Amino acid sequence: MNQEDALRHDIHEALNSVTGPTPELMGKIAPRLHPASRRRPLVAIGQVAAVLGIGLVVGGIAFATHRARVTPATVTTSPTAPVFAGPGANIAWVASQQASGGFYSGDVVTGIDPTGHIVGRINVHDELRSPDGSHLYALVDGGLDVYSAVDGHKEQTIQLQPVTYGIPMLSADGRYLALVGGTPSTLQLVDLAAGRRVASTNVNLPAYGAPVIVGAQAQHVYVVGATIAKFAFDGASLRLEQRTTGQTIACDGLVVGGGNSAGGLPFRVLADGRTLVAFCPGDGRVSWLDLVSMTLTHEVVVEHSNPFWVSPVFSPDGNTLYLHEGGTGKLHAVDLVQQKIIKSTKVAAADTNPLAWLRSLLVTDADAGGIPRTAALSPDGTWLYAVGIFGAPGGVSLVHLPDLAVKGRWLPTVGLNSVWVSADGQTIYLLGADDQLSVLRTDGSVIAKVALPANASGFIVPTTP
Amino acid sequence: MKRIQDDGMERAADPDLVRDAKRGDEAAFTALLRPLLEPAYRLATGMLQDRHLAEDAVQEAAVKAWRKINQLREGSEMRPWFLGIVANECRTTQRGRWWGVLKTGAEQRGGEAPDDAAVRGIDLRNALKRLHPAQRLVVVLYFYLDLPLEEIATIAGASYGAVRGRLYRGLRELRADFPITEVQA
């Protein structure tokens, strides 16, 4: 066997384990060919025209009725008490995806202050923002770059063991950063206050997973993948303490990446320090995991039309999880302590569009893979800002959380994709479907509109695990 | 290891089926499509390394192919045309990657250490992921689907020389000691 054949054999072996047997695809494809049937185009055009006509009439009536019902921008969502914000914490950092040869190659991250001025621009990938909003972190080859969120200047580079496909995660207080990378799978712990790596160890299994740091001194670091490994940190070294076998939580582990967008991470360690709650966008499950016994203790599935439309947002105290389904406007509040859904309603940010219902018929497939970030909370936990999905006109709905009621709507004719609120709660940043960022005050008035680099995909929000 | 010989049966589109498909005959289109689903799925999994994403990509590609069947010139080859659509769909999927679902998957379940073969497989898959996507496409088509470089050039929408160059650079990154002179067209 020459080297080419040997490599071919190795690649077959490596990829066959991923590919497995070819699934029955034709059964799924054939039904999807019917709507696109090209046999009777005139009939099809006629049918679409008829549907559109009916939709315009019905939607127009609904539109007029709805506008009469929803109060225009007279609502003020200013925090009821002053909220502390660190340096740069009120500046929005927005990632615009870059492509090379048609493929994702990193982000251009643009900083915009509450007056609408661009304060800095960074070329990075795998970026995180500190819980207090003051710093941005980005993995580089063999290190971690630390940037100021005030103006985007690089403050330092912390040396790390080079890893492939590193998954970084911050501690809740922002002092520590843990990084899991492969292969071989390693766990590195960085003391950000000291500016150096303080410990490293092999993870072995699970080979990949998101690190979760627990304790003020990072006493424990969990690597959560399809299985979970628990490491103890004594201030100098990491030691494997416990390991589960078999499946633990939905999604084969924690979902990350969406943490870079408005709304934060889809998982959270509760105030008791031992309960991890995670939302799985693959099936809409909310899982409670006891970190001490490392067992799944409870699961809830909220009603949804499509789990990939659901945007999870945790309340500032971490005790409530709001699940906003952008495609339908459904909003569920889940009490994470009582482990139950406490209220469900419909905020319908997108239903000012008379044809929104038609879009929901046309877009029937899951937007597999993404976590939409269509909701964000004010820092005092009083207001939830919800935008639609698909960039459809509808503006932003103002949901008063104590009674989970829509109190108003801003920019109802504008199509929006994502929303973020500054740390002091005084500025609302809205990302439009056209790479336009709108900067608003809490009375809904527009301060500025900023054109961003193409493919603006989301906000880099403070990471609170 | 012997390369799989290409007898051309799956490459050339039956002109009658193509004509019928262009007239809107779904049965004709599915007859053209059916033998291509297996290589399409393998291409998508090779590119995306995720079964679910691969299934989605192939389904989307199939629907787009149905809509664009009029663009398939009679007498031209169906397989590179369709695999080109699949490759584009994979590109779209990867371009929209602003998320990451962690999958340790079935490759390392249980509490025992993985064996050497499994570790080699993981290393190789990770090395493939690190390749520039244009290089990965060529490497997957050449080494996993065992296609000739001429057809790969059609799928990739590039010249023969460009594809050969991508394969060379891809192999250099996969295996620094690989003797590229052995790669035959």
Side-chain angles (χ1 to χ4, degrees):
Chain A
M1 185 184 292
N2 63 30
Q3 289 207 40
E4 180 184 336
D5 286 344
L7 179 58
R8 173 168 284 107
H9 174 268
D10 287 348
I11 288 178
H12 273 257
E13 291 285 315
L15 293 181
N16 279 343
S17 68
V18 177
T19 305
T22 303
E24 171 46 46
L25 292 166
M26 190 57 86
K28 297 175 182 174
I29 291 169
R32 296 186 59 190
L33 302 181
H34 302 316
S37 175
R38 297 152 52 254
R39 284 184 177 181
R40 294 181 295 170
L42 290 177
V43 174
I45 290 169
Q47 288 171 337
V48 170
V51 168
L52 286 174
I54 295 168
L56 281 170
V57 172
V58 174
I61 294 169
F63 180 62
T65 306
H66 193 81
R67 280 184 67 90
R69 194 170 67 240
V70 175
T71 309
T74 56
V75 177
T76 297
T77 60
S78 185
T80 51
V83 178
F84 170 77
N90 295 323
I91 293 172
W93 288 89
V94 185
S96 296
Q97 293 184 346
Q98 301 300 295
S100 174
F103 289 83
Y104 172 82
S105 60
D107 296 323
V108 170
V109 184
T110 306
I112 305 98
D113 72 12
T115 66
H117 290 101
I118 292 176
V119 298
R121 194 160 274 167
I122 315 169
N123 289 292
V124 289
H125 59 83
D126 295 320
E127 56 271 17
L128 287 174
R129 189 166 184 175
S130 61
D132 70 356
S134 64
H135 288 87
L136 299 165
Y137 304 99
L139 290 179
V140 292
D141 191 23
L144 179 77
D145 281 346
V146 183
Y147 296 90
S148 163
V150 174
D151 56 9
H153 81 271
K154 190 194 292 185
E155 293 186 350
Q156 64 171 322
T157 298
I158 299 171
Q159 298 300 313
L160 297 175
Q161 179 184 338
V163 297
T164 56
Y165 299 98
I167 301 169
M169 191 53 57
L170 292 156
S171 61
D173 62 3
R175 175 176 172 180
Y176 292 94
L177 180 142
L179 174 66
V180 172
T183 304
S185 189
T186 56
L187 168 64
Q188 300 180 67
L189 188 64
V190 177
D191 184 337
L192 292 168
R196 64 185 179 84
R197 189 183 70 172
V198 291
S200 177
T201 188
N202 284 337
V203 176
N204 195 8
L205 290 173
Y208 298 100
V212 177
I213 302 168
V214 176
Q217 304 300 321
Q219 286 91 337
H220 287 104
V221 182
Y222 297 81
V223 177
V224 184
T227 61
I228 303 177
K230 177 184 182 182
F231 295 86
F233 176 60
D234 60 7
S237 61
L238 288 160
R239 176 177 52 83
L240 178 66
E241 205 169 69
Q242 195 176 350
R243 192 190 296 282
T244 63
T245 57
Q247 188 75 21
T248 53
I249 60 176
C251 272
D252 276 353
L254 301 174
V255 175
V256 295
N260 289 346
S261 298
L265 297 167
F267 59 88
R268 176 73 66 95
V269 178
L270 302 190
D272 63 7
R274 62 175 291 170
T275 306
L276 175 70
V277 177
F279 170 75
C280 172
D283 58 13
R285 263 186 289 177
V286 180
S287 303
W288 281 257
L289 187 88
D290 183 82
L291 289 169
V292 175
S293 63
M294 293 169 71
T295 54
L296 193 65
T297 58
H298 193 63
E299 281 191 333
V300 162
V301 181
V302 298
E303 179 196 347
H304 59 259
S305 298
N306 187 327
F308 290 102
W309 290 350
V310 177
S311 176
V313 191
F314 289 88
S315 63
D317 64 6
N319 289 334
T320 308
L321 172 62
Y322 297 97
L323 297 164
H324 174 247
E325 188 174 21
T328 61
K330 290 174 189 166
L331 177 66
H332 307 277
V334 184
D335 186 321
L336 300 179
V337 178
Q338 300 295 321
Q339 301 187 332
K340 64 180 182 181
I341 299 169
I342 50 176
K343 189 167 183 181
S344 297
T345 186
K346 190 168 184 179
V347 297
D351 70 356
T352 51
N353 180 352
L355 297 180
W357 63 275
L358 182 60
R359 183 183 299 104
S360 69
L361 291 180
L362 295 173
V363 184
T364 55
D365 298 319
D367 180 18
I371 302 177
R373 294 299 177 182
T374 57
L377 288 183
S378 64
D380 62 355
T382 302
W383 294 93
L384 181 141
Y385 301 86
V387 302
I389 201 168
F390 320 120
V396 54
S397 295
L398 312 175
V399 184
H400 189 241
L401 291 175
D403 52 3
L404 223 59
V406 178
K407 300 293 187 183
R409 181 162 293 142
W410 295 337
L411 308 177
T413 60
V414 178
L416 299 168
N417 281 335
S418 195
V419 54
W420 182 66
V421 185
S422 63
D424 64 3
Q426 299 291 351
T427 310
I428 294 89
Y429 295 89
L430 299 164
L431 185 57
D434 52 357
D435 300 318
Q436 289 278 329
L437 182 78
S438 297
V439 185
L440 274 67
R441 300 181 184 89
T442 52
D443 62 0
S445 58
V446 177
I447 300 169
K449 290 187 177 179
V450 183
L452 295 170
N455 301 317
S457 57
F459 296 92
I460 312 299
V461 307
T463 303
T464 308
Chain B
M1 185 176 179
K2 192 76 174 169
R3 287 192 61 186
I4 296 173
Q5 295 301 310
D6 188 348
D7 61 7
M9 290 297 287
E10 293 178 354
R11 296 174 63 187
D14 182 319
D16 291 336
L17 286 176
V18 172
R19 188 174 57 248
D20 290 345
K22 285 183 175 181
R23 290 173 179 166
D25 186 339
E26 282 181 25
F29 177 74
T30 54
L32 288 166
L33 185 67
R34 192 175 297 280
L36 303 179
L37 291 179
E38 191 263 346
Y41 176 68
R42 293 176 71 213
L43 168 60
T45 49
M47 291 297 292
L48 301 170
Q49 299 198 17
D50 183 297
R51 293 176 195 176
H52 301 298
L53 290 180
E55 282 191 41
D56 289 345
V58 174
Q59 289 180 45
E60 289 301 322
V63 174
K64 287 180 180 173
W66 172 231
R67 289 176 181 150
K68 295 179 178 178
I69 188 69
N70 280 321
Q71 296 175 11
L72 177 64
R73 291 193 300 272
E74 288 193 22
S76 62
E77 295 171 345
M78 177 80 175
R79 186 169 73 185
W81 179 74
F82 180 62
L83 292 183
I85 297 174
V86 174
N88 276 334
E89 203 57 40
C90 293
R91 189 176 301 133
T92 302
T93 300
Q94 289 183 309
R95 192 174 184 174
R97 191 203 68 80
W98 53 271
W99 59 282
V101 176
L102 303 178
K103 285 192 179 296
T104 57
E107 57 189 351
Q108 290 195 25
R109 291 197 185 280
E112 296 179 1
D115 60 25
D116 290 345
V119 171
R120 278 203 311 275
I122 292 169
D123 287 343
L124 193 49
R125 285 194 294 277
N126 285 335
L128 282 168
K129 286 179 187 171
R130 283 195 300 270
L131 288 182
H132 187 284
Q135 294 170 3
R136 191 190 319 146
L137 174 64
V138 173
V139 169
V140 168
L141 289 170
Y142 187 80
F143 282 102
Y144 192 45
L145 271 68
D146 305 320
L147 299 183
L149 286 178
E150 294 90 339
E151 186 175 355
I152 294 173
T154 306
I155 295 168
S159 67
Y160 179 90
V163 164
R164 191 175 169 82
R166 288 176 196 174
L167 186 61
Y168 173 87
R169 288 188 293 274
L171 288 177
R172 278 293 180 217
E173 292 186 26
L174 277 179
R175 299 270 171 94
D177 58 345
F178 190 84
I180 193 63
T181 51
E182 288 190 15
V183 175
Q184 301 299 316

